[in-house]
Amino acid sequence: MDHRIEPLTPERLDDYIKPCWLPGEKLEEGARLKKELVREELGRGFIGRILYAEGSPVGLAEALPLSIAPFKLDGERTTVIHCVWVKPDWQGRGFGRALVDEVRRAAHPDALAVFGFDFAGFMPADFFLHLGFSELEERDNIKLLYLRPEGAPVEEPPRVRWLPRSYRPVLKPGRLVVEVFVDHHCPYAELIAARVVSAARELDPAGIEVLVHDVSRREDTLRLGKSLGVFADGEELFLGPLPRDEVLELLREKLKAPE
């Protein structure tokens, strides 16, 4: 099969967005914000890889040195994988492993860390465990996974740890406060925020207040105590893109819930 993996360069930023872009989704603004952010970070150690198959971009991997990674992690000499994605029609052919291998070589001599999930749709923990990562800690159904660099002694302690919880939700009597934490490394972040704002206005513009926080940069993630996600009065509503109808239903149920 004709395929190759290429490093991300400023000239390939348009291709870098394409594997994520589902037909019919309005991602123009999210794509613009992601390209602007990544273009800046390429000079600060951002690692990007694009998978081409039969001449088209069908997958990607990206990772950031811990010093700029927008996650509540502390440590040293560690690179954090932010995303590994292969379009569904191209999954099951070893491309995900190949992308991770490329990131590992580019990050060496750093260790690798990644957040894995129990559901299989995106960044499944089992995928990374199968590649040799080990689980350090689980928090709120998210696993912090770790891979020592090649050649590091087995007895070397992990170079990264989860920071203590510090998120303090905004609470207002008589109002439902929805906080949307957007990380523009994901082109869907802007779309998620727009859907929440639109749904809140439709349901109860006086009773629902939406606060959108930009946590694309590490300093903002650490200051606010949260990374990507949507929270209502401090409780997580969802993570990742949802259709607008599902966002409406989640907010409607939250409004009905007893205080």
Side-chain angles (χ1 to χ4, degrees), residues 46-96:
F46 182 98
I47 297 168
R49 293 294 184 270
I50 311 172
L51 167 67
Y52 292 88
E54 298 181 358
S56 298
V58 300
L60 63 87
E62 64 185 43
L64 302 92
L66 185 57
S67 59
I68 64 170
F71 298 114
K72 288 183 79 283
L73 297 173
D74 188 25
E76 59 180 7
R77 298 176 294 153
T78 300
T79 293
V80 186
I81 296 176
H82 190 282
C83 179
V84 178
W85 173 249
V86 176
K87 295 179 74 171
D89 288 350
W90 296 94
Q91 292 176 11
R93 310 186 193 202
F95 292 146

Side-chain angles (χ1 to χ4, degrees), residues 44-47 62-82 103-104 106-115 133-134 136 144-150 152 156-162 218:
R44 302 175 63 196
F46 182 98
I47 297 168
E62 64 185 43
L64 302 92
L66 185 57
S67 59
I68 64 170
F71 298 114
K72 288 183 79 283
L73 297 173
D74 188 25
E76 59 180 7
R77 298 176 294 153
T78 300
T79 293
V80 186
I81 296 176
H82 190 282
V103 170
R104 187 179 190 184
H108 188 79
D110 276 10
L112 290 182
V114 68
F115 292 111
F133 285 73
S134 58
L136 297 184
L144 174 58
L145 308 174
Y146 180 77
L147 185 65
R148 284 191 299 270
E150 291 186 16
E156 178 186 274
R159 302 177 184 180
V160 68
R161 65 183 180 90
W162 227 318
R218 179 171 178 79

Side-chain angles (χ1 to χ4, degrees), residues 211-233:
L211 304 175
V212 179
H213 306 294
D214 187 343
V215 289
S216 306
R217 290 174 171 78
R218 179 171 178 79
E219 57 267 27
D220 294 316
T221 297
L222 297 181
R223 174 176 57 84
L224 293 165
K226 274 295 179 189
S227 54
L228 187 70
V230 179
F231 298 81
D233 287 344

Side-chain angles (χ1 to χ4, degrees), residues 2-16:
D2 178 23
H3 70 275
R4 69 187 193 279
I5 295 175
E6 298 284 357
L8 176 63
T9 63
E11 296 75 23
R12 293 188 178 121
L13 278 168
D14 285 340
D15 280 355
Y16 196 58

Side-chain angles (χ1 to χ4, degrees), residues 145-200:
L145 308 174
Y146 180 77
L147 185 65
R148 284 191 299 270
E150 291 186 16
V154 175
E155 63 273 14
E156 178 186 274
R159 302 177 184 180
V160 68
R161 65 183 180 90
W162 227 318
L163 287 168
R165 298 176 188 271
S166 59
Y167 168 52
R168 295 183 179 276
V170 177
L171 303 175
K172 296 186 178 182
R175 304 196 81 184
L176 175 64
V177 180
V178 180
E179 295 182 87
V180 186
F181 293 83
V182 297
D183 176 0
H184 293 301
H185 291 95
C186 176
Y188 280 88
E190 189 71 12
L191 184 61
I192 293 168
R195 285 176 177 169
V196 173
V197 170
S198 172

